[in-house]
Amino acid sequence: RILAGTPYTAPFAALGQLRSAGITDLRFGRVVDDDRQVVPLPDGVDCFAVAGTTAATRSTLADRLIGDGLVPVASALGRHDDPAWHLEFPHDAQHIAFRTTHLGLLSSPGVARQIMTWLSPSPSAARRSSDTVGV
């Protein structure tokens, strides 16, 4: 926004605003070609969200402007200014990796541990599962 303020830097600001159709669709949560409708999280499916931020701690400025260098934290966690587009991930189904870039999420040991925690059955879930198969 600051770059757009002068005639010398405005062309650079315009370049920064160019995005492919795919990135624009992701920004607005569009997942199918004719998608101009709200798509909520599916019923009966555990859904999780991981966000990265290059910041060391959470702050409004870092969450909104920096994020992981590509995606703001709020967007990665399914939050949207329009409540109709806001995804309701449970608090314990969200993870923020600090000092982590967008691509760094792929090799983050902390993110891997969190995913393993989410995907590992709890002792009560394991008992329910074994009860249903007659073990």
Side-chain angles (χ1 to χ4, degrees), residues 3-45:
L3 287 176
T6 72
Y8 303 105
T9 57
F12 296 107
L15 283 174
Q17 295 299 315
L18 296 176
R19 288 190 166 74
S20 71
I23 295 298
T24 301
D25 285 347
L26 285 173
R27 178 176 175 224
F28 293 105
R30 297 180 184 132
V31 293
V32 293
D33 287 339
D34 61 346
D35 198 4
R36 297 293 181 260
Q37 61 190 7
V38 174
V39 178
L41 295 175
D43 289 331
V45 176

PDB file of all heavy atoms in Angstrom, residues 3-45:
ATOM      1  N   LEU A   3       3.874   1.470  -1.264  1.00  0.00           N
ATOM      2  CA  LEU A   3       4.489   1.619  -2.585  1.00  0.00           C
ATOM      3  C   LEU A   3       3.566   2.311  -3.576  1.00  0.00           C
ATOM      4  O   LEU A   3       4.017   3.030  -4.456  1.00  0.00           O
ATOM      5  CB  LEU A   3       4.895   0.257  -3.141  1.00  0.00           C
ATOM      6  CG  LEU A   3       6.110  -0.420  -2.518  1.00  0.00           C
ATOM      7  CD1 LEU A   3       6.306  -1.797  -3.137  1.00  0.00           C
ATOM      8  CD2 LEU A   3       7.353   0.422  -2.701  1.00  0.00           C
ATOM      9  N   ALA A   4       2.279   2.084  -3.458  1.00  0.00           N
ATOM     10  CA  ALA A   4       1.320   2.667  -4.402  1.00  0.00           C
ATOM     11  C   ALA A   4       1.191   4.177  -4.232  1.00  0.00           C
ATOM     12  O   ALA A   4       0.618   4.856  -5.086  1.00  0.00           O
ATOM     13  CB  ALA A   4      -0.042   2.016  -4.229  1.00  0.00           C
ATOM     14  N   GLY A   5       1.771   4.734  -3.182  1.00  0.00           N
ATOM     15  CA  GLY A   5       1.602   6.149  -2.867  1.00  0.00           C
ATOM     16  C   GLY A   5       2.416   7.118  -3.700  1.00  0.00           C
ATOM     17  O   GLY A   5       2.141   8.311  -3.676  1.00  0.00           O
ATOM     18  N   THR A   6       3.411   6.637  -4.426  1.00  0.00           N
ATOM     19  CA  THR A   6       4.210   7.576  -5.228  1.00  0.00           C
ATOM     20  C   THR A   6       4.239   7.116  -6.677  1.00  0.00           C
ATOM     21  O   THR A   6       4.149   5.915  -6.967  1.00  0.00           O
ATOM     22  CB  THR A   6       5.664   7.668  -4.716  1.00  0.00           C
ATOM     23  OG1 THR A   6       6.350   6.465  -5.039  1.00  0.00           O
ATOM     24  CG2 THR A   6       5.722   7.905  -3.215  1.00  0.00           C
ATOM     25  N   PRO A   7       4.378   8.059  -7.613  1.00  0.00           N
ATOM     26  CA  PRO A   7       4.404   7.666  -9.025  1.00  0.00           C
ATOM     27  C   PRO A   7       5.642   6.839  -9.380  1.00  0.00           C
ATOM     28  O   PRO A   7       5.642   6.095 -10.351  1.00  0.00           O
ATOM     29  CB  PRO A   7       4.391   8.993  -9.779  1.00  0.00           C
ATOM     30  CG  PRO A   7       4.790  10.024  -8.798  1.00  0.00           C
ATOM     31  CD  PRO A   7       4.430   9.510  -7.443  1.00  0.00           C
ATOM     32  N   TYR A   8       6.689   6.939  -8.580  1.00  0.00           N
ATOM     33  CA  TYR A   8       7.920   6.204  -8.864  1.00  0.00           C
ATOM     34  C   TYR A   8       7.833   4.738  -8.454  1.00  0.00           C
ATOM     35  O   TYR A   8       8.425   3.861  -9.082  1.00  0.00           O
ATOM     36  CB  TYR A   8       9.110   6.861  -8.152  1.00  0.00           C
ATOM     37  CG  TYR A   8       9.276   8.307  -8.523  1.00  0.00           C
ATOM     38  CD1 TYR A   8       8.915   9.311  -7.633  1.00  0.00           C
ATOM     39  CD2 TYR A   8       9.757   8.666  -9.779  1.00  0.00           C
ATOM     40  CE1 TYR A   8       9.050  10.641  -7.976  1.00  0.00           C
ATOM     41  CE2 TYR A   8       9.892  10.001 -10.138  1.00  0.00           C
ATOM     42  CZ  TYR A   8       9.540  10.984  -9.240  1.00  0.00           C
ATOM     43  OH  TYR A   8       9.665  12.295  -9.589  1.00  0.00           O
ATOM     44  N   THR A   9       7.102   4.479  -7.410  1.00  0.00           N
ATOM     45  CA  THR A   9       7.014   3.099  -6.915  1.00  0.00           C
ATOM     46  C   THR A   9       5.685   2.427  -7.239  1.00  0.00           C
ATOM     47  O   THR A   9       5.543   1.221  -7.037  1.00  0.00           O
ATOM     48  CB  THR A   9       7.243   3.068  -5.390  1.00  0.00           C
ATOM     49  OG1 THR A   9       6.276   3.917  -4.759  1.00  0.00           O
ATOM     50  CG2 THR A   9       8.657   3.511  -5.041  1.00  0.00           C
ATOM     51  N   ALA A  10       4.711   3.169  -7.742  1.00  0.00           N
ATOM     52  CA  ALA A  10       3.392   2.604  -8.051  1.00  0.00           C
ATOM     53  C   ALA A  10       3.464   1.408  -8.996  1.00  0.00           C
ATOM     54  O   ALA A  10       2.738   0.427  -8.802  1.00  0.00           O
ATOM     55  CB  ALA A  10       2.466   3.672  -8.600  1.00  0.00           C
ATOM     56  N   PRO A  11       4.320   1.417 -10.038  1.00  0.00           N
ATOM     57  CA  PRO A  11       4.389   0.234 -10.905  1.00  0.00           C
ATOM     58  C   PRO A  11       4.807  -1.042 -10.149  1.00  0.00           C
ATOM     59  O   PRO A  11       4.340  -2.128 -10.446  1.00  0.00           O
ATOM     60  CB  PRO A  11       5.442   0.611 -11.949  1.00  0.00           C
ATOM     61  CG  PRO A  11       5.425   2.101 -11.978  1.00  0.00           C
ATOM     62  CD  PRO A  11       5.128   2.517 -10.565  1.00  0.00           C
ATOM     63  N   PHE A  12       5.669  -0.888  -9.145  1.00  0.00           N
ATOM     64  CA  PHE A  12       6.072  -2.051  -8.346  1.00  0.00           C
ATOM     65  C   PHE A  12       4.921  -2.556  -7.492  1.00  0.00           C
ATOM     66  O   PHE A  12       4.754  -3.761  -7.303  1.00  0.00           O
ATOM     67  CB  PHE A  12       7.283  -1.700  -7.470  1.00  0.00           C
ATOM     68  CG  PHE A  12       8.499  -1.357  -8.275  1.00  0.00           C
ATOM     69  CD1 PHE A  12       8.932  -0.045  -8.358  1.00  0.00           C
ATOM     70  CD2 PHE A  12       9.194  -2.343  -8.969  1.00  0.00           C
ATOM     71  CE1 PHE A  12      10.044   0.283  -9.112  1.00  0.00           C
ATOM     72  CE2 PHE A  12      10.307  -2.017  -9.725  1.00  0.00           C
ATOM     73  CZ  PHE A  12      10.736  -0.711  -9.797  1.00  0.00           C
ATOM     74  N   ALA A  13       4.119  -1.629  -6.991  1.00  0.00           N
ATOM     75  CA  ALA A  13       2.942  -2.021  -6.219  1.00  0.00           C
ATOM     76  C   ALA A  13       1.973  -2.786  -7.102  1.00  0.00           C
ATOM     77  O   ALA A  13       1.386  -3.777  -6.686  1.00  0.00           O
ATOM     78  CB  ALA A  13       2.273  -0.786  -5.622  1.00  0.00           C
ATOM     79  N   ALA A  14       1.807  -2.333  -8.355  1.00  0.00           N
ATOM     80  CA  ALA A  14       0.902  -3.025  -9.284  1.00  0.00           C
ATOM     81  C   ALA A  14       1.406  -4.437  -9.561  1.00  0.00           C
ATOM     82  O   ALA A  14       0.612  -5.384  -9.613  1.00  0.00           O
ATOM     83  CB  ALA A  14       0.783  -2.235 -10.581  1.00  0.00           C
ATOM     84  N   LEU A  15       2.698  -4.608  -9.723  1.00  0.00           N
ATOM     85  CA  LEU A  15       3.258  -5.951  -9.928  1.00  0.00           C
ATOM     86  C   LEU A  15       2.974  -6.858  -8.737  1.00  0.00           C
ATOM     87  O   LEU A  15       2.682  -8.039  -8.896  1.00  0.00           O
ATOM     88  CB  LEU A  15       4.772  -5.872 -10.158  1.00  0.00           C
ATOM     89  CG  LEU A  15       5.233  -5.422 -11.525  1.00  0.00           C
ATOM     90  CD1 LEU A  15       6.752  -5.250 -11.540  1.00  0.00           C
ATOM     91  CD2 LEU A  15       4.794  -6.409 -12.597  1.00  0.00           C
ATOM     92  N   GLY A  16       3.071  -6.287  -7.549  1.00  0.00           N
ATOM     93  CA  GLY A  16       2.822  -7.068  -6.341  1.00  0.00           C
ATOM     94  C   GLY A  16       1.375  -7.508  -6.200  1.00  0.00           C
ATOM     95  O   GLY A  16       1.079  -8.468  -5.500  1.00  0.00           O
ATOM     96  N   GLN A  17       0.477  -6.802  -6.873  1.00  0.00           N
ATOM     97  CA  GLN A  17      -0.940  -7.144  -6.788  1.00  0.00           C
ATOM     98  C   GLN A  17      -1.371  -8.205  -7.797  1.00  0.00           C
ATOM     99  O   GLN A  17      -2.470  -8.735  -7.726  1.00  0.00           O
ATOM    100  CB  GLN A  17      -1.799  -5.888  -6.972  1.00  0.00           C
ATOM    101  CG  GLN A  17      -1.628  -4.881  -5.863  1.00  0.00           C
ATOM    102  CD  GLN A  17      -2.013  -5.439  -4.512  1.00  0.00           C
ATOM    103  OE1 GLN A  17      -3.032  -6.093  -4.369  1.00  0.00           O
ATOM    104  NE2 GLN A  17      -1.173  -5.200  -3.515  1.00  0.00           N
ATOM    105  N   LEU A  18      -0.505  -8.504  -8.768  1.00  0.00           N
ATOM    106  CA  LEU A  18      -0.833  -9.524  -9.761  1.00  0.00           C
ATOM    107  C   LEU A  18      -0.762 -10.904  -9.132  1.00  0.00           C
ATOM    108  O   LEU A  18       0.200 -11.246  -8.467  1.00  0.00           O
ATOM    109  CB  LEU A  18       0.140  -9.451 -10.948  1.00  0.00           C
ATOM    110  CG  LEU A  18       0.099  -8.175 -11.778  1.00  0.00           C
ATOM    111  CD1 LEU A  18       1.182  -8.225 -12.843  1.00  0.00           C
ATOM    112  CD2 LEU A  18      -1.269  -8.003 -12.414  1.00  0.00           C
ATOM    113  N   ARG A  19      -1.778 -11.678  -9.357  1.00  0.00           N
ATOM    114  CA  ARG A  19      -1.810 -13.039  -8.815  1.00  0.00           C
ATOM    115  C   ARG A  19      -2.452 -13.947  -9.853  1.00  0.00           C
ATOM    116  O   ARG A  19      -3.363 -13.555 -10.563  1.00  0.00           O
ATOM    117  CB  ARG A  19      -2.610 -13.087  -7.530  1.00  0.00           C
ATOM    118  CG  ARG A  19      -1.919 -12.437  -6.357  1.00  0.00           C
ATOM    119  CD  ARG A  19      -2.665 -12.753  -5.080  1.00  0.00           C
ATOM    120  NE  ARG A  19      -1.906 -12.457  -3.900  1.00  0.00           N
ATOM    121  CZ  ARG A  19      -1.664 -11.254  -3.411  1.00  0.00           C
ATOM    122  NH1 ARG A  19      -2.103 -10.208  -4.047  1.00  0.00           N
ATOM    123  NH2 ARG A  19      -0.991 -11.089  -2.307  1.00  0.00           N
ATOM    124  N   SER A  20      -2.003 -15.169  -9.866  1.00  0.00           N
ATOM    125  CA  SER A  20      -2.624 -16.130 -10.770  1.00  0.00           C
ATOM    126  C   SER A  20      -4.045 -16.410 -10.300  1.00  0.00           C
ATOM    127  O   SER A  20      -4.397 -16.161  -9.148  1.00  0.00           O
ATOM    128  CB  SER A  20      -1.821 -17.428 -10.783  1.00  0.00           C
ATOM    129  OG  SER A  20      -1.973 -18.112  -9.547  1.00  0.00           O
ATOM    130  N   ALA A  21      -4.845 -16.960 -11.189  1.00  0.00           N
ATOM    131  CA  ALA A  21      -6.231 -17.291 -10.837  1.00  0.00           C
ATOM    132  C   ALA A  21      -6.262 -18.287  -9.682  1.00  0.00           C
ATOM    133  O   ALA A  21      -7.108 -18.198  -8.795  1.00  0.00           O
ATOM    134  CB  ALA A  21      -6.957 -17.862 -12.054  1.00  0.00           C
ATOM    135  N   GLY A  22      -5.314 -19.224  -9.669  1.00  0.00           N
ATOM    136  CA  GLY A  22      -5.266 -20.224  -8.597  1.00  0.00           C
ATOM    137  C   GLY A  22      -5.013 -19.604  -7.238  1.00  0.00           C
ATOM    138  O   GLY A  22      -5.665 -19.949  -6.245  1.00  0.00           O
ATOM    139  N   ILE A  23      -4.071 -18.677  -7.170  1.00  0.00           N
ATOM    140  CA  ILE A  23      -3.782 -18.015  -5.900  1.00  0.00           C
ATOM    141  C   ILE A  23      -4.958 -17.162  -5.468  1.00  0.00           C
ATOM    142  O   ILE A  23      -5.334 -17.135  -4.295  1.00  0.00           O
ATOM    143  CB  ILE A  23      -2.494 -17.158  -6.008  1.00  0.00           C
ATOM    144  CG1 ILE A  23      -1.281 -18.047  -6.240  1.00  0.00           C
ATOM    145  CG2 ILE A  23      -2.309 -16.285  -4.778  1.00  0.00           C
ATOM    146  CD1 ILE A  23      -0.991 -19.020  -5.121  1.00  0.00           C
ATOM    147  N   THR A  24      -5.589 -16.468  -6.417  1.00  0.00           N
ATOM    148  CA  THR A  24      -6.762 -15.663  -6.091  1.00  0.00           C
ATOM    149  C   THR A  24      -7.881 -16.555  -5.560  1.00  0.00           C
ATOM    150  O   THR A  24      -8.530 -16.227  -4.574  1.00  0.00           O
ATOM    151  CB  THR A  24      -7.246 -14.875  -7.327  1.00  0.00           C
ATOM    152  OG1 THR A  24      -6.169 -14.036  -7.756  1.00  0.00           O
ATOM    153  CG2 THR A  24      -8.451 -14.020  -6.996  1.00  0.00           C
ATOM    154  N   ASP A  25      -8.103 -17.703  -6.192  1.00  0.00           N
ATOM    155  CA  ASP A  25      -9.130 -18.626  -5.721  1.00  0.00           C
ATOM    156  C   ASP A  25      -8.827 -19.113  -4.316  1.00  0.00           C
ATOM    157  O   ASP A  25      -9.713 -19.192  -3.464  1.00  0.00           O
ATOM    158  CB  ASP A  25      -9.268 -19.817  -6.675  1.00  0.00           C
ATOM    159  CG  ASP A  25      -9.992 -19.457  -7.956  1.00  0.00           C
ATOM    160  OD1 ASP A  25     -10.598 -18.369  -8.015  1.00  0.00           O
ATOM    161  OD2 ASP A  25      -9.958 -20.265  -8.899  1.00  0.00           O
ATOM    162  N   LEU A  26      -7.561 -19.466  -4.045  1.00  0.00           N
ATOM    163  CA  LEU A  26      -7.192 -19.918  -2.707  1.00  0.00           C
ATOM    164  C   LEU A  26      -7.427 -18.822  -1.677  1.00  0.00           C
ATOM    165  O   LEU A  26      -7.881 -19.089  -0.565  1.00  0.00           O
ATOM    166  CB  LEU A  26      -5.729 -20.349  -2.675  1.00  0.00           C
ATOM    167  CG  LEU A  26      -5.407 -21.683  -3.319  1.00  0.00           C
ATOM    168  CD1 LEU A  26      -3.900 -21.892  -3.362  1.00  0.00           C
ATOM    169  CD2 LEU A  26      -6.094 -22.819  -2.583  1.00  0.00           C
ATOM    170  N   ARG A  27      -7.121 -17.600  -2.051  1.00  0.00           N
ATOM    171  CA  ARG A  27      -7.296 -16.475  -1.131  1.00  0.00           C
ATOM    172  C   ARG A  27      -8.739 -16.377  -0.660  1.00  0.00           C
ATOM    173  O   ARG A  27      -9.024 -16.041   0.478  1.00  0.00           O
ATOM    174  CB  ARG A  27      -6.871 -15.175  -1.819  1.00  0.00           C
ATOM    175  CG  ARG A  27      -7.060 -13.963  -0.954  1.00  0.00           C
ATOM    176  CD  ARG A  27      -6.535 -12.717  -1.648  1.00  0.00           C
ATOM    177  NE  ARG A  27      -6.825 -11.568  -0.847  1.00  0.00           N
ATOM    178  CZ  ARG A  27      -7.287 -10.437  -1.316  1.00  0.00           C
ATOM    179  NH1 ARG A  27      -7.503 -10.287  -2.607  1.00  0.00           N
ATOM    180  NH2 ARG A  27      -7.525  -9.439  -0.523  1.00  0.00           N
ATOM    181  N   PHE A  28      -9.662 -16.660  -1.563  1.00  0.00           N
ATOM    182  CA  PHE A  28     -11.072 -16.563  -1.215  1.00  0.00           C
ATOM    183  C   PHE A  28     -11.698 -17.917  -0.896  1.00  0.00           C
ATOM    184  O   PHE A  28     -12.907 -18.033  -0.778  1.00  0.00           O
ATOM    185  CB  PHE A  28     -11.847 -15.865  -2.350  1.00  0.00           C
ATOM    186  CG  PHE A  28     -11.450 -14.427  -2.493  1.00  0.00           C
ATOM    187  CD1 PHE A  28     -10.648 -14.019  -3.543  1.00  0.00           C
ATOM    188  CD2 PHE A  28     -11.851 -13.490  -1.558  1.00  0.00           C
ATOM    189  CE1 PHE A  28     -10.267 -12.688  -3.668  1.00  0.00           C
ATOM    190  CE2 PHE A  28     -11.468 -12.157  -1.668  1.00  0.00           C
ATOM    191  CZ  PHE A  28     -10.677 -11.766  -2.724  1.00  0.00           C
ATOM    192  N   GLY A  29     -10.888 -18.958  -0.741  1.00  0.00           N
ATOM    193  CA  GLY A  29     -11.396 -20.262  -0.339  1.00  0.00           C
ATOM    194  C   GLY A  29     -12.185 -20.971  -1.413  1.00  0.00           C
ATOM    195  O   GLY A  29     -13.007 -21.833  -1.131  1.00  0.00           O
ATOM    196  N   ARG A  30     -11.947 -20.656  -2.670  1.00  0.00           N
ATOM    197  CA  ARG A  30     -12.674 -21.300  -3.767  1.00  0.00           C
ATOM    198  C   ARG A  30     -11.998 -22.628  -4.090  1.00  0.00           C
ATOM    199  O   ARG A  30     -10.803 -22.662  -4.372  1.00  0.00           O
ATOM    200  CB  ARG A  30     -12.696 -20.395  -4.987  1.00  0.00           C
ATOM    201  CG  ARG A  30     -13.435 -19.099  -4.702  1.00  0.00           C
ATOM    202  CD  ARG A  30     -13.469 -18.198  -5.912  1.00  0.00           C
ATOM    203  NE  ARG A  30     -14.109 -16.951  -5.536  1.00  0.00           N
ATOM    204  CZ  ARG A  30     -13.616 -15.759  -5.810  1.00  0.00           C
ATOM    205  NH1 ARG A  30     -12.493 -15.633  -6.482  1.00  0.00           N
ATOM    206  NH2 ARG A  30     -14.244 -14.683  -5.425  1.00  0.00           N
ATOM    207  N   VAL A  31     -12.780 -23.693  -4.051  1.00  0.00           N
ATOM    208  CA  VAL A  31     -12.193 -25.017  -4.261  1.00  0.00           C
ATOM    209  C   VAL A  31     -12.711 -25.728  -5.509  1.00  0.00           C
ATOM    210  O   VAL A  31     -12.209 -26.784  -5.867  1.00  0.00           O
ATOM    211  CB  VAL A  31     -12.398 -25.916  -3.016  1.00  0.00           C
ATOM    212  CG1 VAL A  31     -11.591 -25.387  -1.841  1.00  0.00           C
ATOM    213  CG2 VAL A  31     -13.871 -26.020  -2.649  1.00  0.00           C
ATOM    214  N   VAL A  32     -13.712 -25.174  -6.173  1.00  0.00           N
ATOM    215  CA  VAL A  32     -14.208 -25.727  -7.432  1.00  0.00           C
ATOM    216  C   VAL A  32     -14.417 -24.585  -8.416  1.00  0.00           C
ATOM    217  O   VAL A  32     -14.530 -23.423  -8.027  1.00  0.00           O
ATOM    218  CB  VAL A  32     -15.519 -26.531  -7.250  1.00  0.00           C
ATOM    219  CG1 VAL A  32     -15.281 -27.785  -6.437  1.00  0.00           C
ATOM    220  CG2 VAL A  32     -16.596 -25.698  -6.607  1.00  0.00           C
ATOM    221  N   ASP A  33     -14.456 -24.902  -9.722  1.00  0.00           N
ATOM    222  CA  ASP A  33     -14.526 -23.870 -10.754  1.00  0.00           C
ATOM    223  C   ASP A  33     -15.706 -22.914 -10.594  1.00  0.00           C
ATOM    224  O   ASP A  33     -15.563 -21.717 -10.755  1.00  0.00           O
ATOM    225  CB  ASP A  33     -14.583 -24.504 -12.144  1.00  0.00           C
ATOM    226  CG  ASP A  33     -13.249 -25.094 -12.546  1.00  0.00           C
ATOM    227  OD1 ASP A  33     -12.221 -24.681 -11.970  1.00  0.00           O
ATOM    228  OD2 ASP A  33     -13.240 -25.977 -13.414  1.00  0.00           O
ATOM    229  N   ASP A  34     -16.884 -23.446 -10.307  1.00  0.00           N
ATOM    230  CA  ASP A  34     -18.059 -22.585 -10.209  1.00  0.00           C
ATOM    231  C   ASP A  34     -18.291 -22.122  -8.778  1.00  0.00           C
ATOM    232  O   ASP A  34     -19.396 -21.820  -8.371  1.00  0.00           O
ATOM    233  CB  ASP A  34     -19.299 -23.299 -10.744  1.00  0.00           C
ATOM    234  CG  ASP A  34     -19.631 -24.557  -9.961  1.00  0.00           C
ATOM    235  OD1 ASP A  34     -18.783 -25.026  -9.183  1.00  0.00           O
ATOM    236  OD2 ASP A  34     -20.754 -25.068 -10.134  1.00  0.00           O
ATOM    237  N   ASP A  35     -17.218 -22.039  -8.028  1.00  0.00           N
ATOM    238  CA  ASP A  35     -17.312 -21.781  -6.598  1.00  0.00           C
ATOM    239  C   ASP A  35     -17.418 -20.297  -6.268  1.00  0.00           C
ATOM    240  O   ASP A  35     -16.437 -19.585  -6.213  1.00  0.00           O
ATOM    241  CB  ASP A  35     -16.096 -22.382  -5.906  1.00  0.00           C
ATOM    242  CG  ASP A  35     -16.290 -22.548  -4.425  1.00  0.00           C
ATOM    243  OD1 ASP A  35     -17.396 -22.275  -3.944  1.00  0.00           O
ATOM    244  OD2 ASP A  35     -15.339 -22.946  -3.759  1.00  0.00           O
ATOM    245  N   ARG A  36     -18.608 -19.870  -6.056  1.00  0.00           N
ATOM    246  CA  ARG A  36     -18.835 -18.529  -5.530  1.00  0.00           C
ATOM    247  C   ARG A  36     -19.749 -18.666  -4.315  1.00  0.00           C
ATOM    248  O   ARG A  36     -20.389 -17.731  -3.889  1.00  0.00           O
ATOM    249  CB  ARG A  36     -19.497 -17.617  -6.574  1.00  0.00           C
ATOM    250  CG  ARG A  36     -18.662 -17.379  -7.803  1.00  0.00           C
ATOM    251  CD  ARG A  36     -17.421 -16.559  -7.476  1.00  0.00           C
ATOM    252  NE  ARG A  36     -16.630 -16.296  -8.656  1.00  0.00           N
ATOM    253  CZ  ARG A  36     -15.548 -16.969  -8.995  1.00  0.00           C
ATOM    254  NH1 ARG A  36     -15.141 -17.957  -8.257  1.00  0.00           N
ATOM    255  NH2 ARG A  36     -14.860 -16.665 -10.067  1.00  0.00           N
ATOM    256  N   GLN A  37     -19.785 -19.869  -3.781  1.00  0.00           N
ATOM    257  CA  GLN A  37     -20.627 -20.151  -2.637  1.00  0.00           C
ATOM    258  C   GLN A  37     -19.769 -20.566  -1.456  1.00  0.00           C
ATOM    259  O   GLN A  37     -18.629 -20.976  -1.618  1.00  0.00           O
ATOM    260  CB  GLN A  37     -21.623 -21.262  -2.962  1.00  0.00           C
ATOM    261  CG  GLN A  37     -20.939 -22.572  -3.322  1.00  0.00           C
ATOM    262  CD  GLN A  37     -21.912 -23.591  -3.865  1.00  0.00           C
ATOM    263  OE1 GLN A  37     -23.065 -23.292  -4.087  1.00  0.00           O
ATOM    264  NE2 GLN A  37     -21.440 -24.795  -4.083  1.00  0.00           N
ATOM    265  N   VAL A  38     -20.305 -20.434  -0.273  1.00  0.00           N
ATOM    266  CA  VAL A  38     -19.602 -20.811   0.942  1.00  0.00           C
ATOM    267  C   VAL A  38     -19.527 -22.328   1.022  1.00  0.00           C
ATOM    268  O   VAL A  38     -20.524 -23.025   0.828  1.00  0.00           O
ATOM    269  CB  VAL A  38     -20.332 -20.233   2.180  1.00  0.00           C
ATOM    270  CG1 VAL A  38     -19.702 -20.727   3.456  1.00  0.00           C
ATOM    271  CG2 VAL A  38     -20.330 -18.722   2.125  1.00  0.00           C
ATOM    272  N   VAL A  39     -18.321 -22.846   1.296  1.00  0.00           N
ATOM    273  CA  VAL A  39     -18.128 -24.287   1.488  1.00  0.00           C
ATOM    274  C   VAL A  39     -17.630 -24.477   2.920  1.00  0.00           C
ATOM    275  O   VAL A  39     -16.476 -24.179   3.221  1.00  0.00           O
ATOM    276  CB  VAL A  39     -17.110 -24.865   0.480  1.00  0.00           C
ATOM    277  CG1 VAL A  39     -16.902 -26.354   0.729  1.00  0.00           C
ATOM    278  CG2 VAL A  39     -17.554 -24.614  -0.942  1.00  0.00           C
ATOM    279  N   PRO A  40     -18.496 -24.964   3.811  1.00  0.00           N
ATOM    280  CA  PRO A  40     -18.081 -25.141   5.205  1.00  0.00           C
ATOM    281  C   PRO A  40     -17.198 -26.375   5.364  1.00  0.00           C
ATOM    282  O   PRO A  40     -17.066 -27.182   4.440  1.00  0.00           O
ATOM    283  CB  PRO A  40     -19.416 -25.329   5.939  1.00  0.00           C
ATOM    284  CG  PRO A  40     -20.306 -25.949   4.905  1.00  0.00           C
ATOM    285  CD  PRO A  40     -19.875 -25.352   3.583  1.00  0.00           C
ATOM    286  N   LEU A  41     -16.611 -26.519   6.549  1.00  0.00           N
ATOM    287  CA  LEU A  41     -15.878 -27.743   6.844  1.00  0.00           C
ATOM    288  C   LEU A  41     -16.864 -28.908   6.791  1.00  0.00           C
ATOM    289  O   LEU A  41     -18.027 -28.764   7.183  1.00  0.00           O
ATOM    290  CB  LEU A  41     -15.234 -27.650   8.230  1.00  0.00           C
ATOM    291  CG  LEU A  41     -14.159 -26.580   8.395  1.00  0.00           C
ATOM    292  CD1 LEU A  41     -13.685 -26.519   9.850  1.00  0.00           C
ATOM    293  CD2 LEU A  41     -12.998 -26.822   7.463  1.00  0.00           C
ATOM    294  N   PRO A  42     -16.434 -30.059   6.304  1.00  0.00           N
ATOM    295  CA  PRO A  42     -17.366 -31.187   6.172  1.00  0.00           C
ATOM    296  C   PRO A  42     -17.778 -31.759   7.528  1.00  0.00           C
ATOM    297  O   PRO A  42     -16.978 -31.798   8.468  1.00  0.00           O
ATOM    298  CB  PRO A  42     -16.558 -32.208   5.371  1.00  0.00           C
ATOM    299  CG  PRO A  42     -15.135 -31.851   5.612  1.00  0.00           C
ATOM    300  CD  PRO A  42     -15.100 -30.373   5.833  1.00  0.00           C
ATOM    301  N   ASP A  43     -19.024 -32.188   7.616  1.00  0.00           N
ATOM    302  CA  ASP A  43     -19.523 -32.840   8.826  1.00  0.00           C
ATOM    303  C   ASP A  43     -18.899 -34.228   8.953  1.00  0.00           C
ATOM    304  O   ASP A  43     -18.685 -34.920   7.960  1.00  0.00           O
ATOM    305  CB  ASP A  43     -21.048 -32.986   8.767  1.00  0.00           C
ATOM    306  CG  ASP A  43     -21.765 -31.652   8.908  1.00  0.00           C
ATOM    307  OD1 ASP A  43     -21.211 -30.756   9.570  1.00  0.00           O
ATOM    308  OD2 ASP A  43     -22.869 -31.518   8.344  1.00  0.00           O
ATOM    309  N   GLY A  44     -18.615 -34.627  10.170  1.00  0.00           N
ATOM    310  CA  GLY A  44     -18.127 -35.976  10.431  1.00  0.00           C
ATOM    311  C   GLY A  44     -16.669 -36.218  10.070  1.00  0.00           C
ATOM    312  O   GLY A  44     -16.218 -37.361  10.054  1.00  0.00           O
ATOM    313  N   VAL A  45     -15.938 -35.159   9.749  1.00  0.00           N
ATOM    314  CA  VAL A  45     -14.526 -35.289   9.380  1.00  0.00           C
ATOM    315  C   VAL A  45     -13.722 -34.376  10.297  1.00  0.00           C
ATOM    316  O   VAL A  45     -14.053 -33.204  10.447  1.00  0.00           O
ATOM    317  CB  VAL A  45     -14.292 -34.876   7.903  1.00  0.00           C
ATOM    318  CG1 VAL A  45     -12.824 -34.924   7.550  1.00  0.00           C
ATOM    319  CG2 VAL A  45     -15.099 -35.753   6.971  1.00  0.00           C
TER     320      VAL A  45
END
